[in-house]
Amino acid sequence: MPKPLGELEDAVMSRIWKWNRPVTVREVLEDLQKERSLAYTTVMTVLDNLQRKGWVRRHAEGRAYRYEAVSSRAAYAAALMNDAWSRSDNPTAALVAFFGMMNEDQRGMVRDALRVAHGPEAAPGEENTPGSAEDGSGR
């Protein structure tokens, strides 16, 4: 399971995910320097660490490297949520508590995600449930 990214690792990965293309240390550094003072070698070390941890892959381009994300931010977030959920001694209670923290828009996103992942039957209480007029069975 992935270990959560550190603060600077997350800042670097956020740019890579946002730009969605191979990037150089210099590009990341220049963007980060809009918010904080960092050395080139610091960003280079962070990218090398992210490459070693499997978050990015790099390709040589002249004397430098270009780095690109191995997976999406959504996949990272999903892995963290799955890890946290699987560590619970009562996963059902953990889900109930998690859903209880959500607002109605977020619960709607969960219903939408279930439909995408498993089809309409995965979201209880929605139209097209077996036996409804919409499912064509007439029951």
Side-chain angles (χ1 to χ4, degrees), residues 53 59 62 84 92 101 103 120:
K53 292 176 180 181
H59 317 289
T92 301
M101 293 179 203
N103 62 38

Side-chain angles (χ1 to χ4, degrees), residues 8-136:
L8 188 52
E9 289 174 328
D10 186 69
V12 169
M13 286 304 301
S14 291
R15 280 145 179 88
I16 295 171
W17 283 319
K18 178 180 154 189
W19 297 336
N20 196 29
R21 61 174 173 75
V23 300
T24 63
V25 172
R26 176 77 49 208
E27 290 173 310
V28 175
L29 172 67
E30 288 174 359
D31 200 61
L32 285 169
Q33 284 181 330
K34 293 175 186 174
E35 301 167 5
R36 63 181 103 187
S37 178
L38 290 169
Y40 181 93
T41 54
T42 301
V43 176
M44 183 176 62
T45 298
V46 169
L47 281 162
D48 285 343
N49 289 341
L50 288 167
Q51 190 264 330
R52 193 180 72 257
K53 292 176 180 181
W55 288 108
V56 297
R57 65 178 145 254
R58 65 184 181 192
H59 317 289
E61 186 174 283
R63 293 178 18 189
Y65 288 107
R66 284 203 174 264
Y67 296 84
E68 64 182 322
V70 170
S71 63
S72 67
R73 182 163 197 95
Y76 168 67
L80 290 178
M81 288 187 289
N82 187 58
D83 185 48
W85 181 51
S86 68
R87 291 174 188 260
S88 173
D89 60 348
N90 187 339
T92 301
L95 280 176
V96 169
F98 180 61
F99 293 149
M101 293 179 203
M102 294 178 169
N103 62 38
E104 187 53 41
D105 287 342
Q106 292 168 320
R107 285 190 294 274
M109 288 180 224
V110 169
R111 286 188 293 274
D112 292 345
L114 285 170
R115 274 194 295 281
V116 169
H118 300 291
E121 69 280 358
E126 296 294 313
E127 297 82 26
N128 295 329
T129 55
S132 69
E134 290 88 1
D135 78 350

